[in-house]
Structure formats: structure tokens, C-alpha cells
Amino acid sequence: MAAPQGHLSPAEGAYRSEPQVRAIARLRGVRKVFQRGAERITVLDGLDLEVPDGSFEALMGPSGSGKTTLLNLIAGLDRPTAGTIEVAGANLTDMTDGELARWRARTIGFIFQSYNLMPVLTALENVELPLLLTKLPAAERRKRARTALRVVGLEHRLHHFPRQLSGGQEQRVAIARALVSDPQIIVADEPTGDLDRHSADEILDLLERLNKEFRKTILMVTHDPHAAERATIIRRLDKGALT
Amino acid sequence: MIPVAYNLRSLAVRRTTTLATAFGVALVVFVLASARMLSEGIRRTLGQGGRADTAIVLRKGSDAELASSIEEPMVGLVLAAPGVARDSRGGGLGVGEVVVVITMEKAGMPGQVSNVLVRGVPDHVMQLRPEVRIVAGRPARPGTDEVIIGQRIAGRFVGLELGRSFELRKNRPVVVVGVFAAEGSSFESEIWGDLNTVRNSFGREGIVSSVRVRLESPAKFDAFAAAVAQDKQLGLEAMRETDFLRKASEGTAEFVGILGMLIALFFSIGAMIGAMITMYASIASRQREIGTLRALGFSRLSILASFLLEAVLLALLGGLVGAGMSLLMGFVRFSMINFATWSEVVFSFSPTVEIIGSALAFAAGMGVLGGLLPAVRAARLSPLQAIRG
């Protein structure tokens, strides 16, 4: 597989052997309470967490343990009820909706369990989407989207629509979309949840490669112990607290 | 910005609902554009044929030829007024005409009748109206029971065909010897006969309805009108022919235009509700897509603009279809009663760039109004709520 050019910067050497000196995400006293009718459900309760820059973390735990909520808070998709969240040098707690959207576009790459591709756009157009939020000219956007698709091994499926791709291929397009804008962090919510074992292994190989070669910090929520084994750090959540 | 291809292809994917909604908008645009084209056709037909250097003289207080009555000796006085152009023999260039309305049976519709305007004209009428030309047959001979008919009514009434005869009045048969064109003006919906034949048939001997005069120049009108008005004995008033025809067309054209607009506005409420329902349904089934776009960093404004644009594109699709359908109406002839003469006049639908442009703008407006609330709803979805579906 060819290495991407230009905006993607592959790391040299093995990441596991390097010291981890900086936290890319820092959570202090984070509390998240959901209101469901008259009932108040505390999902996260005073959680403290530091995510080292360049790590590949797996968040595990039973359903309802708060792992997806934690992922959404770090990704700027949700706001805490209390506490502070600092990610990639930005205090998310103080940001407006618009500022958060711009910050997400610059900082976070998303991978969803159900791929979440636009069904009416081709693979190339789907991958180009995040770049429409930049000032890059159209030709450059196309070039970068092609490069990202080459990284995930789909250079021969550029003009295919999601319905013309297998589940594994769709998720690879989603990974290309997540990395095309060169974000510091990639968040993946059950990225292999809808895939067979073979396709899941391919996706995990890719995530591992993004972490090792391109030094992307990866936060992955998973139920699957086999998937979690690929991470450098495994954290477990139970009843809103890290165990 | 979210690519337009996303909206276009989303519309194409939901082609059944897209087409149904577009059809509703198309109907509105068709009605609106057709009514305005007909209104324009009426203005062109009734307003055409007027010349700035021609004046029409009517009995004071009469705003139509049908209601006017002028004694024959006054025609000479009018033609002698200052500013009137001279013919080759040195006489004033003008004609006194009598106008009556008769009831005739429509061809192919037994029992159905309508009014037709009959104009009694002197033999030198063509001097004043060079735009009138015979397109079939020949001119009527003066002093005979021969008539010529306008090409728009030829064949539309029983007896109004070249070589056929009909009764001008009971026991007063006339024969059609020619068909004439008059540059699309309302004259093409008239029957022209000899002045005395028409007058005698209707007991209007010694009377004309109007006097038309050619002026030396358009600038001479004020002096001519003042001279006509000054003579209190005459009891007449003069108008420029262009003003007279415009006034005659105003009532009918405005009636059709306003009626069409009201019908279109009424229909447009239904079409807008249709567009709104379609967009709400579309947004409900695309919540996950909206959530993903928001997660990727697209702002609320981008989402709002994208879905509003989609609604406008949907409405414009309908607008184009409706405008296309209305253009086909250009091939249709439509007859209705002219309120100024209470006789049937045949009109055509006259498309203009302004009419088609404003009909499309109206469609786009329907798209904006119908799509605004659904687009606001889409923009207000939180990314998380939307991703969960």
C-alpha cells in the first residue's frame, strides 16, 4: 500500500518504544447526567482522564457504562453537565456550537459503526466532504481524497456508491474520510461492530497503521476483546467510572 | 458548503415523491403563467393596431364605440378640424364607422351562440388602415351585400367561411367574399361590411358610431382634440387611438390577470404544503446523514442552506415543467367576451421572457416558503440526536 503524500505525515520508527510525554485530551471531574422524563440518569460521575498523544486507546465496558458518552464528549459532539474537557489544546467546555463544529472539522476524524456514508455520493465525494470545510481548491481536494482512498486500498473504487461496496469497503471509505483532513484524533465507535471477522481484521489493521505510521491518536469504543487487543491502552468503564 | 450534487441526487433517489411534489408546483406555475400569457395576449390583441397619429372621436361620455352615436353631418365637421391630414383629393383623411353586435351560432356547437362585432366601413377604409390586408378571397364591393371577415373568427361561427352566406339580420343575408388579417389586432375578430348596408340593416341610417382621423403628426393631437371639444354643439370628444385601445383592453386583461393570480395563489398553498410534507419526510429519513454532516463540522447554517436549496431545486423542477406546459398554450386560440364591446374576441396566449421568468421566481418562492420550516428543523437537530436517528 502506498504511503499518502503531503498532508499525511507518517511517523518514523515504532511508536510503542517512544516515551509518551503529552496528553492530547484531559478530562477533569466530568459528570454527565441525562434527563429521561422525570428520571435523571448519571452516565459519567466525576471522571478524570488523560489520553496520551499518539496513543491507540480502547474503551470497553458493558452497555450503558458510558463509553460512547465519553467518546462523544471528547469528540466535541456533546457537552458535560459538569467538569472540564481540554482536547488538542482547546477547552471544549467554553465553546459555542459554531466554534465546536469548526474545531471538530479541524481536529477530529469520525468512524461510526454503521459507516454513515452519504448514500448518494460516491466514495471519492464522501471522502472529499470534510475538505469542503477548508479553503483548498477543488483539484487539491480531489487529489487528497484520492490519496486517502489509496491509503485504505480503495483506489479502484473511487466512483462507486456505498450501495455498490461491501461492508468492509464502506468502513474503509469512512476511515479515508476520517483521515483526509489530517485530524489529530480519530474517534471510532464500534468500528467493527457490523463486520465479519475477516473485514474486521482488515479495519483493525488499518487503524493500527494509522496510529503507528501516521501517529494519529485513536480512541475506539468496542465490545470486542479481539479488537481491543490491537490498542496500546485498554480502559474499562463501569457505571460511569473508570475501573 | 454541502455539495449541490448531494441535493440533486437525493431528489433523484426519492423520485416518486419528488415528481409528485414537482407536479403540484408545475400546476401552479402552469396556471399562473398561462393566465398572465392570456392577459398579455388580450393586451396585445385589443391594444394592437393603434397609431399615435390617429385619433378616434366618440360621443362625449361614451367610452366605447358601441355606446356612441354621431350624426353623419358631424363627420364632415370633424374631418375639417385643424390637424387632420389631407387625402389626395384635399379632403380630410378619416372614416365614420358604425359598430353593431349580432348573435351567431358557433360552428360545431349547435345551440351555442355568442356575440360577434360587425363594423360598417366606407369604401376608402383601407386608406386609413394600411395594416389590413386580404389573405383569402377579395375585398367587398361598396354598396353590396358582401362582407369580409377577420381571420381569427373564420370558421368559428356558422356561415363565417369564404363563399358562405349568413343573415346579418332576419331576411338580410350577406355573403362572405374575403378574409382579412390585421396584424393580430381585435379587428381580426370582426365582420366588415359596407357602411350603408350595415346601417340600413339595423335602422341606423344617418348615424355613425365613431370617426377615426389621421392627423398630420402625433403632435397635432392636442390642437385637434381642443377643437373638437371646443364646439359644444358637436358634443364629441377625441382620444388618441392608442389610448382608446389600451383603455378598451385594460378591463378584460386585468380581469384575466387577477383571476389567474388568485387561482394560482390558491393552488400554491396546496403546492407549498406538499413541498413541506415532502421535505419533512425527506429530512426524517435522512437524520443520520444530517447528524454525520454536523459531526464532520458542517454548521447549522450550512445544513439550513442545503435543505432550503433542495426545496428550491424541487420547486424549480416543477416550475420548469409548468412553464414548459404553459408555452404549449402558445398554440391554443382562446375566445372570450371583450368587456368593452360585449362581443367575442379570439385571443392567443402570448409568452414573454418576463412572464416565464416571474413564474419561475414564483416557483422558487414556493420552494423557499415550503422548505423553510423543514430546513430549520434539520439545522436544529443536534449531531448526536441525528446520528442515533
Side-chain angles (χ1 to χ4, degrees):
Chain A
M1 198 184 305
Q5 314 253 316
H7 67 297
L8 298 169
S9 48
E12 290 175 8
Y15 162 69
R16 280 174 207 268
S17 64
E18 290 178 4
Q20 296 170 14
V21 291
R22 193 171 75 94
I24 195 162
R26 191 172 285 119
L27 286 75
R28 290 281 176 266
V30 168
R31 187 175 152 78
K32 181 68 185 177
V33 179
F34 288 109
Q35 190 85 32
R36 189 173 295 160
E39 194 185 1
R40 285 169 65 82
I41 303 162
T42 302
V43 180
L44 298 175
D45 195 6
L47 186 133
D48 295 323
L49 172 68
E50 285 199 359
V51 177
D53 189 9
S55 63
F56 181 175
E57 296 210 6
L59 286 169
M60 297 192 74
S63 294
S65 60
K67 50 190 190 304
T68 295
T69 301
L70 177 59
L71 193 73
N72 290 337
L73 288 170
I74 293 171
L77 285 175
D78 204 357
R79 293 172 184 280
T81 310
T84 59
I85 301 174
E86 202 182 300
V87 182
N91 185 349
L92 307 192
T93 329
D94 298 336
M95 285 187 181
T96 64
D97 277 358
E99 287 168 341
L100 264 182
R102 286 190 288 278
W103 174 83
R104 281 197 303 270
R106 284 195 309 271
T107 318
I108 307 287
F110 288 91
I111 302 170
F112 303 96
Q113 180 175 351
S114 304
Y115 331 128
N116 289 26
L117 299 176
M118 301 297 134
V120 296
L121 299 183
T122 63
L124 188 66
E125 289 166 338
N126 264 291
V127 174
E128 196 188 344
L129 265 180
L131 298 180
L132 295 173
L133 295 162
T134 67
K135 289 178 178 166
L136 290 172
E140 182 62 22
R141 289 200 307 262
R142 287 281 153 134
K143 187 178 153 196
R144 291 189 183 196
R146 281 171 193 271
T147 304
L149 280 164
R150 194 160 61 240
V151 168
V152 300
L154 284 178
E155 63 269 41
H156 59 300
R157 291 282 189 272
L158 299 179
H159 303 294
H160 285 62
F161 288 94
R163 65 177 180 278
Q164 297 167 317
L165 302 172
S166 68
Q169 287 174 328
E170 281 195 74
Q171 194 60 298
R172 282 197 273 161
V173 173
I175 291 172
R177 183 180 65 187
L179 68 91
V180 73
S181 53
D182 197 19
Q184 289 170 268
I185 304 170
I186 291 176
V187 296
D189 192 358
E190 301 279 9
T192 58
D194 282 2
L195 299 176
D196 59 54
R197 176 51 54 205
H198 176 70
S199 299
D201 280 338
E202 283 182 352
I203 295 303
L204 292 167
D205 287 346
L206 254 175
L207 291 177
E208 231 176 349
R209 198 180 145 215
L210 292 180
N211 175 245
K212 286 178 181 169
E213 272 187 44
F214 304 114
R215 295 217 60 173
K216 300 296 169 197
T217 302
I218 297 178
L219 290 171
M220 175 177 71
V221 162
T222 183
H223 274 105
D224 180 5
H226 178 76
E229 279 174 17
R230 304 291 193 104
T232 53
I233 302 170
I234 300 175
R235 296 186 200 266
R236 292 179 198 283
L237 268 159
D238 194 15
K239 293 175 185 166
L242 289 166
T243 59
Chain B
M1 288 299 287
I2 296 163
V4 179
Y6 171 69
N7 305 102
L8 286 173
R9 290 183 204 157
S10 293
L11 288 172
V13 163
R14 296 162 180 83
R15 65 175 67 85
T16 309
T17 48
T18 296
L19 289 178
T21 310
F23 183 67
V25 176
L27 277 182
V28 174
V29 170
F30 170 71
V31 170
L32 179 69
S34 298
R36 291 203 57 206
M37 280 163 58
L38 182 59
S39 179
E40 179 65 20
I42 290 168
R43 276 200 185 89
R44 284 192 187 178
T45 302
L46 297 183
Q48 204 153 349
R51 290 173 57 137
D53 63 353
T54 300
I56 182 167
V57 178
L58 300 176
R59 169 71 58 197
K60 203 166 191 172
S62 311
D63 53 3
E65 287 179 284
L66 209 55
S68 171
S69 175
I70 303 170
E71 292 79 21
E72 180 118 45
M74 291 185 186
V75 176
L77 295 175
V78 170
L79 294 181
V84 177
R86 302 285 129 193
D87 62 19
S88 53
R89 289 173 296 178
L93 182 54
V95 291
E97 297 173 333
V98 69
V99 167
V100 292
V101 170
I102 62 169
T103 303
M104 297 190 77
E105 188 175 63
K106 291 189 172 182
M109 298 177 180
Q112 280 206 33
V113 294
S114 190
N115 291 343
V116 180
L117 192 137
V118 180
R119 186 178 293 274
V121 294
D123 53 359
H124 61 287
V125 66
M126 298 302 192
Q127 276 187 359
L128 199 74
R129 298 209 178 95
E131 75 277 12
V132 175
R133 59 193 174 82
I134 300 292
V135 292
R138 59 173 174 78
R141 282 184 302 229
T144 64
D145 287 342
E146 294 176 351
V147 296
I148 55 175
I149 58 174
Q151 62 177 359
R152 289 199 183 198
I153 54 165
R156 294 180 77 98
F157 291 89
V158 174
L160 290 193
E161 284 175 66
L162 193 61
R164 299 275 302 271
S165 65
F166 64 94
E167 288 193 328
L168 205 54
R169 206 171 184 195
K170 199 164 176 64
N171 300 323
R172 288 306 301 262
V174 289
V175 62
V176 179
V177 297
V179 178
F180 68 90
E183 294 182 344
S185 72
S186 61
F187 292 139
E188 291 184 0
S189 297
E190 296 180 359
I191 298 167
W192 284 11
D194 178 74
L195 177 62
N196 289 321
T197 305
V198 175
R199 285 200 296 204
N200 295 342
S201 301
F202 293 91
R204 301 190 67 173
E205 292 86 350
I207 297 288
V208 295
S209 304
S210 63
V211 184
R212 269 184 167 82
V213 298
R214 176 68 37 79
L215 300 171
E216 289 166 357
S217 74
K220 298 284 184 182
F221 173 77
D222 289 340
F224 171 75
V228 169
Q230 213 167 29
D231 193 334
K232 303 290 181 200
Q233 267 192 320
L234 289 175
L236 304 176
E237 65 179 334
M239 272 184 275
R240 282 189 198 276
E241 192 180 37
T242 46
D243 292 343
F244 171 74
L245 293 174
R246 191 176 58 243
K247 208 172 154 190
S249 68
E250 256 171 18
T252 313
E254 273 179 21
F255 172 75
V256 170
I258 290 170
L259 187 68
M261 180 65 89
L262 286 176
I263 294 171
L265 279 175
F266 185 70
F267 282 1
S268 71
I269 294 169
M272 277 189 288
I273 291 171
M276 199 181 286
I277 291 169
T278 300
M279 289 306 296
Y280 269 129
S282 178
I283 285 162
S285 66
R286 286 152 72 188
Q287 282 203 21
R288 182 173 287 179
E289 294 173 30
I290 295 165
T292 305
L293 289 168
R294 292 278 289 123
L296 292 179
F298 286 94
S299 65
R300 290 183 192 279
L301 189 64
S302 296
I303 302 287
L304 179 95
S306 178
F307 280 90
L308 204 52
L309 175 70
E310 191 168 314
V312 170
L313 289 172
L314 174 63
L316 277 177
L317 171 70
L320 284 171
V321 173
M325 282 158 52
S326 70
L327 284 176
L328 292 177
M329 294 300 286
F331 299 103
V332 175
R333 290 282 169 90
F334 185 83
S335 68
M336 63 181 289
I337 296 291
N338 175 9
F339 294 162
T341 61
W342 296 108
S343 61
E344 189 160 304
V345 181
V346 180
F347 304 102
S348 53
F349 292 77
S350 301
T352 65
V353 172
E354 192 272 327
I355 289 174
I356 298 301
S358 60
L360 289 177
F362 190 80
M366 279 196 286
V368 170
L369 288 177
L372 187 60
L373 288 178
V376 167
R377 183 193 166 99
R380 291 181 64 168
L381 283 172
S382 84
L384 276 182
Q385 186 192 358
I387 288 169
R388 287 191 201 113

